[in-house]
Amino acid sequence: GAVVSQHPSRVICKSGTSVKIECRSLDFQATTMFWYRQFPKKSLMLMATSNEGSKATYEQGVEKDKFLINHASLTLSTLTVTSAHPEDSSFYICSASPLAGGRYEQYFGPGTRLTVT
Amino acid sequence: LAKTTQPISMDSYEGQEVNITCSHNNIATNDYITWYQQFPSQGPRFIIQGYKTKVTNEVASLFIPADRKSSTLSLPRVSLSDTAVYYCLVGDPDSGGYNKLIFGAGTRLAVHP
């Protein structure tokens, strides 16, 4: 149980275009989902916290107009990278926290590798 | 959220026990300690979580001394497939209802034949 999926697993897009990444909790409901990005050989960096039915909370230094987050249901959050540029190329990972959580047992998706050419 | 400090890297050999220690001097009363494992190009995977003393599951043990200022993840008899980055995180799961995780640098474990 507790599976989180991401789609697509990898995407290549041209500079200036927008890309949408989906994060789904497959067998549980998640009030909160998180989005991270990770550069090669580096740690995960939290970008934003996404709550169902409300606006996302962005970490300092993350442009909310560039990284649009929508958490439309208890099982789906989307991250849209708008007007992507090569420096946005990275590994994007989402995680979900179960409704009946309590402890830190967050479940992570497999990640999406974005390459902007 | 309490800051954690771990060794940047460790090397081991197949069949050995590996202990990775994490320092968290500013851990708060309500904080739990959680360890995650990450393979290249994959999302982190939950390994173990504890509050005090010792916790054991099918893959690892977690030792937490009485002062809780550090913790040690113990992997028994590692294999090549345990080569990964291991992250130690501390925080209050009830803090703001967000369960926000802030990852440190992690420990890159390399298991050799």
Side-chain angles (χ1 to χ4, degrees):
Chain A
V3 177
V4 175
S5 70
Q6 281 184 242
H7 178 78
S9 57
R10 54 179 65 231
V11 56
I12 301 172
C13 71
K14 292 190 175 181
S15 192
T17 61
S18 294
V19 174
K20 181 186 283 189
I21 302 170
E22 292 187 348
C23 175
R24 292 181 186 273
S25 55
L26 298 185
D27 49 4
F28 66 97
Q29 291 184 319
T31 46
T32 308
M33 289 184 172
F34 302 86
W35 287 96
Y36 299 82
R37 66 188 299 183
Q38 185 175 33
F39 293 108
K41 304 277 189 194
K42 299 293 184 183
S43 184
L44 286 79
M45 185 191 80
L46 180 65
M47 299 175 67
T49 302
S50 167
N51 287 292
E52 186 263 341
S54 63
K55 288 184 180 180
T57 303
Y58 291 82
E59 294 299 303
Q60 192 172 11
V62 178
E63 300 175 59
K64 62 180 181 181
D65 294 329
K66 180 164 186 65
F67 299 100
L68 301 179
I69 291 172
N70 183 272
H71 194 151
S73 75
L74 287 172
T75 59
L76 173 64
S77 176
T78 60
L79 167 69
T80 301
V81 183
T82 63
S83 187
H85 291 284
E87 58 265 29
D88 297 322
S89 297
S90 188
F91 192 53
Y92 291 86
I93 307 170
C94 72
S95 71
S97 203
L99 257 178
R103 291 195 182 179
Y104 264 157
E105 223 165 307
Q106 271 190 43
Y107 300 98
F108 286 81
T112 297
R113 185 159 304 281
L114 169 64
T115 303
V116 184
T117 61
Chain B
L1 292 166
K3 185 178 179 207
T4 61
T5 304
Q6 304 172 233
I8 294 296
S9 64
M10 292 182 70
D11 288 274
S12 183
Y13 292 90
E14 284 189 290
Q16 290 189 332
E17 177 185 77
V18 171
N19 295 308
I20 306 174
T21 297
C22 177
S23 297
H24 26 81
N25 290 318
N26 297 322
I27 190 169
T29 303
N30 295 330
D31 285 348
Y32 278 75
I33 301 155
T34 310
W35 286 79
Y36 283 84
Q37 174 193 56
Q38 186 183 28
F39 296 112
S41 297
Q42 294 186 29
R45 183 176 73 104
F46 172 89
I47 302 175
I48 198 166
Q49 183 181 74
Y51 183 80
K52 62 180 179 180
T53 62
K54 177 184 174 183
V55 180
T56 298
N57 62 23
E58 61 276 8
V59 298
S61 294
L62 179 60
F63 298 92
I64 306 168
D67 66 5
R68 303 200 326 122
K69 292 184 184 298
S70 67
S71 59
T72 299
L73 173 73
S74 181
L75 304 172
R77 296 179 300 281
V78 294
S79 63
L80 296 176
S81 62
D82 292 316
T83 294
V85 179
Y86 292 82
Y87 295 98
C88 161
L89 297 95
V90 299
D92 179 0
D94 295 321
S95 174
Y98 282 159
N99 292 347
K100 191 161 81 169
L101 296 179
I102 303 297
F103 283 78
T107 297
R108 194 171 295 274
L109 172 67
V111 180
H112 304 281

